[in-house]
Amino acid sequence: MPRDTCADNNGSRVETDRDDEAIRVVARVRPLTQGEHDVGHVVGLTCLDDARTVHIDTPPGEDGKRVTQSYSLDVSVPPEASQGVFFDRCGIKPLLHSVLDGFAATCFAYGQTGSGKTYSLVGPESTTDKLDQRSSEQDGLLSRAVKFLFSEIKRRDGVEHAVEVSYCEIYNEQVRDLLFEGAGAGQQLPVRYNPHQGFFVEGLNTVPCQSKAEVMRCFCKGFKTTRVASHDMNTRSNRSHCIFNIHVHIKTTDQEMRSTQVAHGKMCFVDLAGSERVRDTKATGKTLAESGQINKSLFVLGKVISALTTRVKKGTPEMRVPYRDSILTRLLMSSLGGHCKTLMVTCCSASASHISETTRSLQFAARAKHIRNKPVVVLDPKESLIQELKNEIAKLRRQNAQLQKNLHETPPDGRECVAEIQNAAAGHHLAHLRQSLLLEEVHTPARQRAVAEQEMQEMCVGMVPPVGPGCRAARSAVDAAPGNYQVASRPLPHVAAADRHIVAHRGVNQQDNDVDLQ
């Protein structure tokens, strides 16, 4: 069945927490490859002992300059860390828990080509064909996250879960479904916008899955058809941005209210194509053209990050963010400054020879750390309306409880407070009547207006002046609800008299108007 990607499901968003949160940014440093050792590369990037800071320190270059710089992120993972340690430390587990609560979450990997993005998300190329058959210590975040999700689903009693997956790639600004096999497979899919869903891929196929094996089977099937190429920096370089979505539909039953609620959680894994420098990759022909498209979309992504960061620092929420300038940023709109929980993995090479690209990646990560998202739970439109009504009822109950508390905070003799309530309510009502008289000024003779004002002043003479320590609280309770003109279901004498007066007064006005017409 078709469904969207990188946008919320066909439901409405319901805010459950008004606090926004920052994007979590993690840096992972890969070790030098054997090829880099062979050509004499040296280490220029290390992780400090605080597990948050990455430090650049390169030997003097041809110009005699030495580069030293430190970047503090949420987590830094050193080259010697295993895949299991990376999974435990990167912070993806809280995101997976939130998905099972109905939130949308995104994990995307960013970095230079050959910096270890696909390895961090998927694992080594030699094991990708067997991800649906067995687990290994080399498995990346995706396989471990799917295993974690299904283990948590089994532990949740009284909740029904349904899991679906979708998989697409963005190649040369065109979106292609990686799981569809029927007629028209491989054709370009349009990206649409809906005010409730945001940007989404129209017609993207989803596949229901019952286990980790089925999810990984779908992933392996699509992964084999992604577009890759080889160049001097990477033997398997992604030529497209790949997006793998795991949709989790959560159905909970409230026995007390005898109602059910369906929420739609989503975990989105984005394997971005790496930034490339032609002088390093030596790309030519088709690969060179693909590099141009990749760098263009990543450049727009950088502009979006910069605009969001500036908007936060300057406090200008109306500032334009160029989401529409590329397909990638459209589909990541909810993840960057939107309603998702987001984890960004910045992959870097430890080689000093690649320090310029590494610096750009870390600068990108440092800016992204300032972006604030506002995660929300996604419900069906019907469930959303019910939830909004429940929230309104709860709010009214809290207000009613506060009013009751204020009314009961009276001295033993509460007559003074009752009089104060009557005075306040009558005052509000008399002000309303005066406003009505002003509106009828054109049709009301001056003498009749004067008589009406005099009679209302006489009504106020019998009001009891406010006394007693509890009257202030009672007065505030009445002021908070100026539309209530009754106490204990008994109409106030001032209000009743004023009502009778204004009705009679309007009758006289009508007679005068009839005479004028004749």
Side-chain angles (χ1 to χ4, degrees):
M1 64 187 278
R3 195 177 297 277
D4 57 325
T5 184
C6 282
D8 294 329
N9 298 335
N10 298 327
S12 299
R13 296 171 176 142
V14 176
E15 295 192 25
T16 59
D17 189 351
R18 294 194 175 274
D19 293 334
D20 54 4
E21 63 178 44
I23 291 178
R24 183 176 177 84
V25 180
V26 178
R28 189 180 193 190
V29 182
R30 71 157 176 84
L32 298 181
T33 63
Q34 185 60 47
E36 290 171 338
H37 278 295
D38 294 341
V39 296
H41 286 197
V42 297
V43 173
L45 181 67
T46 56
C47 296
L48 302 186
D49 294 338
D50 63 356
R52 296 171 57 91
T53 306
V54 288
H55 181 67
I56 297 175
D57 189 358
T58 64
E62 296 179 356
D63 55 359
K65 294 183 179 180
R66 180 178 180 180
V67 179
T68 59
Q69 181 69 45
S70 295
Y71 294 88
S72 180
L73 306 174
D74 292 304
V75 176
S76 62
V77 183
E80 62 272 13
S82 65
Q83 293 278 62
V85 171
F86 175 58
F87 177 76
D88 293 333
R89 292 184 54 190
C90 70
I92 196 172
K93 289 183 179 180
L95 266 65
L96 298 173
H97 281 295
S98 68
V99 169
L100 296 179
D101 292 331
F103 289 90
T106 300
C107 172
F108 70 94
Y110 177 89
Q112 180 187 19
T113 182
S115 59
K117 299 182 300 298
T118 302
Y119 176 83
S120 296
L121 289 182
V122 183
E125 184 179 359
S126 59
T127 64
T128 53
D129 294 337
K130 304 174 183 178
L131 290 175
D132 59 330
Q133 302 174 13
R134 60 181 177 82
S135 300
S136 73
E137 291 298 321
Q138 298 297 316
D139 288 349
L141 287 181
L142 175 59
S143 179
R144 294 174 186 272
V146 174
K147 181 180 179 180
F148 183 85
L149 274 177
F150 278 98
S151 64
E152 288 298 310
I153 287 175
K154 291 180 180 179
R155 294 174 56 183
R156 298 197 173 196
D157 297 329
V159 182
E160 299 180 23
H161 297 83
V163 178
E164 297 176 331
V165 300
S166 60
Y167 200 5
C168 69
E169 71 171 356
I170 305 171
Y171 174 75
N172 288 345
E173 289 297 290
Q174 296 181 354
V175 181
R176 183 171 70 97
D177 193 338
L178 297 177
L179 297 182
F180 187 69
E181 295 181 326
Q187 292 184 355
Q188 178 184 359
L189 297 178
V191 176
R192 307 293 188 192
Y193 179 79
N194 181 290
H196 299 291
Q197 299 173 239
F199 289 103
F200 65 97
V201 179
E202 185 177 56
L204 185 64
N205 188 51
T206 61
V207 180
C209 299
Q210 302 294 329
S211 64
K212 176 203 170 186
E214 293 184 9
V215 172
M216 299 313 299
R217 189 175 300 119
C218 291
F219 174 79
C220 293
K221 172 184 172 183
F223 188 76
K224 294 176 182 177
T225 62
T226 57
R227 301 175 190 264
V228 296
S230 177
H231 52 65
D232 286 4
M233 290 189 65
N234 194 351
T235 58
R236 192 188 186 280
S237 174
N238 286 339
R239 314 315 292 164
S240 62
H241 308 296
C242 300
I243 303 173
F244 185 75
N245 294 302
I246 304 174
H247 303 272
V248 183
H249 310 290
I250 308 104
K251 182 178 180 180
T252 57
T253 303
D254 190 336
Q255 299 295 343
E256 181 179 353
M257 300 293 294
R258 295 183 180 180
S259 63
T260 60
Q261 177 176 289
V262 179
H264 304 282
K266 184 184 70 173
M267 187 69 223
C268 178
F269 291 92
V270 184
D271 186 7
L272 298 176
S275 58
E276 299 180 354
R277 301 178 67 176
V278 177
R279 71 179 185 184
D280 295 328
T281 62
K282 305 297 191 296
T284 58
K286 180 181 178 182
T287 305
L288 178 61
E290 293 169 341
S291 297
Q293 289 291 337
I294 292 171
N295 289 335
K296 177 183 176 181
S297 62
L298 294 177
F299 174 72
V300 175
L301 178 60
K303 288 172 57 179
V304 168
I305 297 290
S306 297
L308 290 171
T309 303
T310 303
R311 189 167 69 174
V312 171
K313 289 183 176 180
K314 293 186 177 181
T316 54
E318 70 281 357
M319 180 178 179
R320 179 184 177 273
V321 180
Y323 290 112
R324 294 178 178 269
D325 291 359
S326 78
I327 297 295
L328 175 64
T329 50
R330 293 181 196 178
L331 296 181
L332 289 180
M333 179 177 178
S334 184
S335 305
L336 300 172
H339 300 291
C340 284
K341 294 175 177 283
T342 303
L343 169 66
M344 173 182 171
V345 179
T346 305
C347 297
C348 306
S349 169
S351 173
S353 300
H354 301 149
I355 210 64
S356 60
E357 284 296 315
T358 297
T359 301
R360 291 191 183 93
S361 298
L362 292 174
Q363 290 173 345
F364 180 93
R367 290 195 300 268
K369 186 180 176 182
H370 296 284
I371 297 175
R372 311 291 297 185
N373 288 358
K374 196 168 187 178
V376 297
V377 172
V378 185
L379 302 175
D380 283 327
K382 178 181 176 182
E383 302 292 341
S384 174
L385 177 60
I386 294 174
Q387 187 62 41
E388 289 177 0
L389 294 176
K390 287 181 179 179
N391 294 341
E392 185 67 21
I393 291 172
K395 178 181 178 181
L396 293 174
R397 284 176 175 172
R398 290 193 299 269
Q399 293 178 351
N400 183 55
Q402 184 63 38
L403 290 173
Q404 293 290 340
K405 180 181 177 181
N406 293 341
L407 290 174
H408 284 86
E409 289 179 354
T410 60
D413 187 0
R415 290 174 297 177
E416 299 90 347
C417 287
V418 173
E420 171 66 7
I421 294 173
Q422 291 180 342
N423 291 350
H428 283 298
H429 193 68
L430 290 175
H432 173 70
L433 295 179
R434 288 192 178 95
Q435 184 66 26
S436 299
L437 288 175
L438 291 175
L439 293 176
E440 297 177 2
E441 184 175 1
V442 176
H443 305 290
T444 305
R447 183 179 60 81
Q448 293 180 352
R449 290 201 308 273
V451 171
E453 288 288 345
Q454 179 63 29
E455 291 181 1
M456 284 190 289
Q457 292 295 336
E458 292 175 356
M459 293 178 194
C460 297
V461 173
M463 293 185 179
V464 182
V467 293
C471 295
R472 182 175 299 175
R475 178 58 182 262
S476 65
V478 174
D479 290 341
N484 298 330
Y485 304 121
Q486 292 185 348
V487 177
S489 301
R490 184 177 63 186
L492 299 174
H494 313 82
V495 177
D499 283 338
R500 289 193 300 272
H501 169 76
I502 195 64
V503 170
H505 174 67
R506 285 174 178 166
V508 172
N509 291 345
Q510 185 62 43
Q511 293 176 6
D512 293 343
N513 293 339
D514 294 341
V515 172
D516 294 340
L517 291 174
Q518 293 176 359

